[in-house]
Amino acid sequence: DPAAMAAAATHFGLALIACGLGQAGGDGAAARRELAESPTRTAQHRCINGRLVPTAFILGAQKCGTTSLSGDMIKHIKGLTGAARLPAGSFGNKKEIHFFDVPGPFTRGLGFYSSHYPPCRDTLVAMDATPRYLRFPEVPPRMHDSFGPSMRRTLRFVVILRDPSERVRSWYDHMGKSPGDGGLQKWTREALAALTACAAKRKVDLTKGDLWKSMCRDM
């Protein structure tokens, strides 16, 4: 739901970026090249315990090109780096650290977060491309409380979205579905039925945007 995502994004004070993927005449690669210039123009390197801590972030929806965007940015923007290592207790991967959306890693503090990234250098800026940060209401207050006022002013975000119908089709293909399973329409109906059942069980009012605060959001 683009409106719900926009509402979630207001918690971050983000500028939303519409992804060109799947749109008639859209050039997703060109859009990514253009967007890749913006988030680090004023982002600055920050260090904790001698290691970089991210000040650039990519957030968004599944199957919207966040992996391609993060790869393009790290490849083409001089001085931008992703994670260098995955210490014990890590939840994600070198693209998606999942620090602010998973309680276990978050409770270990920013020192653990920075331990994923290279040693400090004035010429480097670290980036965390965990798309799920957009979907979890817990993330904005965790970021706010973790970073002091001066550091918060250096944070830069890119949010990448996609037409919902195109995204569903891409996710369906990604899951390896085939015509023999009843097709996209049947799969979509079943997914919506499961979401509705979860909402009813947990007394979630889907008309009020409460889905974001419930466990049903991951269905």
Side-chain angles (χ1 to χ4, degrees):
D1 181 350
M5 282 193 171
T10 59
H11 290 289
F12 291 94
L14 301 176
L16 291 179
I17 297 171
C19 175
L21 297 174
Q23 297 178 6
D27 184 349
R32 287 193 296 271
R33 286 194 299 270
E34 180 180 352
L35 298 178
E37 296 297 329
S38 61
T40 57
R41 283 177 180 167
T42 54
Q44 302 174 25
H45 87 284
R46 288 291 186 268
C47 299
I48 293 177
N49 296 340
R51 289 187 174 269
L52 292 167
V53 66
T55 54
F57 298 85
I58 296 178
L59 295 71
Q62 293 171 315
K63 310 309 297 177
C64 192
T66 56
T67 300
S68 297
L69 176 62
S70 63
D72 288 348
M73 289 174 65
I74 290 173
K75 180 179 180 180
H76 296 293
I77 299 178
K78 184 177 180 180
L80 184 66
T81 182
R85 57 194 293 267
L86 295 175
S90 298
F91 184 83
N93 53 57
K94 289 184 179 179
K95 174 205 168 199
E96 305 179 20
I97 303 303
H98 291 282
F99 177 75
F100 291 103
D101 60 328
V102 178
F106 179 72
T107 58
R108 300 182 66 175
L110 287 180
F112 175 69
Y113 189 31
S114 68
S115 70
H116 292 73
Y117 290 88
C120 287
R121 287 172 52 191
D122 289 347
T123 56
L124 289 180
V125 172
M127 181 173 72
D128 180 357
T130 303
R132 287 204 324 174
Y133 289 165
L134 180 64
R135 297 163 49 202
F136 283 69
E138 302 94 331
V139 170
R142 286 175 180 173
M143 282 190 169
H144 183 276
D145 294 343
S146 297
F147 298 124
S150 63
M151 190 167 183
R152 286 199 298 268
R153 288 193 290 270
T154 71
L155 304 182
R156 296 296 178 266
F157 301 85
V158 171
V159 179
I160 182 168
L161 306 178
R162 186 175 185 178
D163 178 274
S165 61
E166 293 293 334
R167 196 192 72 81
V168 169
R169 163 66 73 176
S170 182
W171 179 247
Y172 175 80
D173 294 339
H174 175 79
M175 296 295 290
K177 302 298 181 180
S178 63
D181 64 15
L184 175 61
Q185 290 187 357
K186 181 175 182 292
W187 179 81
T188 302
R189 286 196 299 269
E190 291 175 351
L192 289 174
L195 174 63
T196 302
C198 177
K201 180 179 180 179
R202 297 179 179 274
K203 296 181 171 54
V204 176
D205 188 343
L206 295 178
T207 67
K208 295 183 178 179
D210 293 343
L211 176 63
W212 295 98
K213 301 177 183 178
S214 77
M215 297 303 295
C216 302
R217 64 191 170 200
D218 286 329
M219 299 193 69

